[in-house]
Amino acid sequence: MALLHNRVSNKELKERLMQETEPRTTISFYMYHPIANPQAFRDELWKGLHALKVFGRIYVAHEGINAQISVPSSNFDALRQYLYSYEWMNGMRLNIAVEDDGKSFWVLRIKVRDKIVADGIDDPNFSMERKGKYLKAKEVNELMQNPDVLVIDMRNHYEYEVGHFDNAIEIPSDTFREQLPMAVDMMKGREDKPVIMYCTGGIRCEKASAYMLHRGFKNVFHIEGGIINYVHQVKEQGLEQKFIGKNFVFDNRLGERVTEDVIAKCHQCGQPADTHTNCANDACHLLFIQCDACKATYEGCCSTACQEVIHLPEEAQKELRKGKDNGAHIFSKSRERLRPRLDGR
């Protein structure tokens, strides 16, 4: 049986990526569609994409597929042809990254999950077949002129704080599964008002739009292709840019510059900044915003305690990392995840 996963170390794979001379195109896509046997589809997909030298992260579930990948630019047409060879993915929107150096991914990982977006919905009557209406960029701008429109951001706090639509409402919960009922509660009494929901690439807001309709909202829209597609359409059509700041992305770039506005602040000194980084202490690896001055002062660390750790011998650092699970700590939406400001304020 063919090997259907990677066996090479991450270090070597990264080195190979950096040595590549052909440019890569970074793409995201998703599709809600019933998949009877996700594991069999996963294995088939891995073989097809591996042959095209695709790198990236893909989730497959009974409800569909969710992917963030890169492909050698010369293989882009072949990739599209391969994906479109599946009838249910034929014509699927492929979101091409706004800013892209092609170094976002260095290995292909395809995982089978319970859902492509963890939503916490256990209502058997809920269905993705009834969802909000798609909006293109021009329609978004026109609808946003209506003062009664509710614009709801269905992303994490660390995404919202560096960039969002003007007057967008943040749903300040810790997970998407908590956001859904919270959005309903926060908008209670406004079920008849037009609602625009958005997220990075469209996958979360599409599900959220279906959930809002399921919970009695009458006039629900969501931005087709999310912020990524909206920004592309604005540039192509010369429209007014309603999204301000940076669009956070889930790869090595951690952000795509949309406008020059810096709307966030350094989590350490409070000065204007919107560059996300992971703490240089691998036993912490907290995601936070750090300005250039604090990066130099704290050597890329989130605290003086972590700064002390990175100067310990490697063996001592390995001991500190043993048994640590940083997953929820790194990508937590809650403001409570943030370290106290180091300037004492």
Side-chain angles (χ1 to χ4, degrees), residues 148-178:
D148 288 333
V149 167
L150 305 172
V151 182
I152 302 177
D153 193 313
M154 294 303 296
R155 301 173 304 150
N156 301 330
H157 173 67
Y158 55 83
E159 299 170 86
Y160 178 90
E161 68 178 327
V162 295
H164 51 256
F165 281 96
D166 193 24
N167 297 323
I169 300 167
E170 180 186 6
I171 310 298
S173 60
D174 289 339
T175 63
F176 182 66
R177 66 175 62 230
E178 292 175 348

Side-chain angles (χ1 to χ4, degrees), residues 285-303:
H285 220 226
L286 177 77
L287 181 75
F288 69 110
I289 294 174
Q290 188 176 53
C291 68
D292 289 340
C294 287
K295 181 177 182 178
T297 300
Y298 300 106
E299 300 175 274
C301 293
C302 68
S303 66

